[in-house]
Amino acid sequence: MKPLQISPETAITLSKQLGVPLEHLMHMPQHILLEKIAELSKKQSAETDGKAAETPPAEKEEQ
């Protein structure tokens, strides 16, 4: 199996975010990597939705 065709910067960022050693990431099958990225995206989306629900909308000033 050949290494993934991604830039070094992308590989380092994904490695940190997924908590996977860089060497494992580069030799990870593409379908597994895509599943992990999808899980990470869902997790981040849920966190931002939770933060948006916690903050009240800004009140408009009456003129």
Side-chain angles (χ1 to χ4, degrees):
M1 183 179 342
K2 66 180 182 176
L4 296 171
Q5 301 296 314
I6 56 177
S7 71
E9 295 84 11
T10 302
I12 291 169
T13 302
L14 283 173
S15 174
K16 289 178 183 176
Q17 289 183 349
L18 295 173
V20 176
L22 189 59
E23 295 82 13
H24 292 182
L25 179 81
M26 292 307 293
H27 294 283
M28 186 179 290
Q30 189 173 9
H31 69 281
I32 294 176
L33 178 61
L34 291 174
E35 287 176 11
K36 290 187 177 287
I37 291 172
E39 290 172 8
L40 182 64
S41 176
K42 286 180 186 177
K43 184 175 149 184
Q44 288 179 344
S45 176
E47 287 176 0
T48 54
D49 288 346
K51 288 180 184 177
E54 291 175 6
T55 58
E59 295 181 21
K60 295 181 180 178
E61 291 183 23
E62 292 184 30
Q63 295 180 355

